[in-house]
Amino acid sequence: MAFDPPYAQARSARVFFERPELDRLLSLYGRMVAAGEWRDYAIDGLSDSAVFSVFKRASEAPLYRIEKRPALARRQGAWAVVGQGGHILRRAQELDQVLRFFERGRFRVVD
């Protein structure tokens, strides 16, 4: 008979980024900070998704959220870029496909 404390199950149920995914996200973040577009970020590991949020200013709502939802991998794609209004701007099966949204020349931040 094994004893599993209640908090042990809660940690294993969380979704988070794998190391190569996090490296790719932080690389993009570094480039955008150098370009003056982004200034802050937040990482959340939730029960159904992992979220990388980027901010223009720390006191505002996030400009973009890059979400990983493994439950949607076979249907719509596990990865999504969500805008400020909660609209899904891009969805794909792979992280690199979603991050193409941020390629130079494809979008411009308008103040």
Side-chain angles (χ1 to χ4, degrees):
M1 186 162 124
F3 174 72
D4 289 330
Y7 59 83
Q9 292 178 351
R11 287 184 183 229
S12 64
R14 290 188 168 229
V15 175
F16 206 73
F17 300 107
E18 295 177 10
R19 184 64 187 195
E21 297 166 347
L22 196 55
D23 287 343
R24 184 76 175 98
L25 290 168
L26 290 174
S27 173
L28 171 67
Y29 174 75
R31 282 184 283 142
M32 297 303 272
V33 166
E37 302 287 334
W38 299 347
R39 294 188 187 220
D40 199 8
Y41 73 94
I43 300 174
D44 296 317
L46 306 173
S47 62
D48 63 339
S49 66
V51 181
F52 186 87
S53 303
V54 293
F55 301 85
K56 181 71 173 175
R57 292 176 190 83
S59 63
E60 296 179 351
L63 285 175
Y64 300 102
R65 293 189 327 254
I66 302 167
E67 297 182 352
K68 175 184 177 182
R69 293 185 183 269
L72 298 177
R74 292 185 178 244
R75 287 183 266 162
Q76 300 171 343
W79 293 94
V81 174
V82 181
Q84 274 186 329
H87 299 289
I88 297 175
L89 304 173
R90 177 92 185 220
R91 187 177 289 282
Q93 298 291 335
E94 299 293 327
L95 176 61
D96 288 334
Q97 294 171 342
V98 167
L99 295 183
R100 285 186 196 139
F101 177 80
F102 298 105
E103 287 179 3
R104 193 171 299 227
R106 292 201 63 187
F107 81 104
R108 216 172 21 131
V109 177
V110 179
D111 286 328

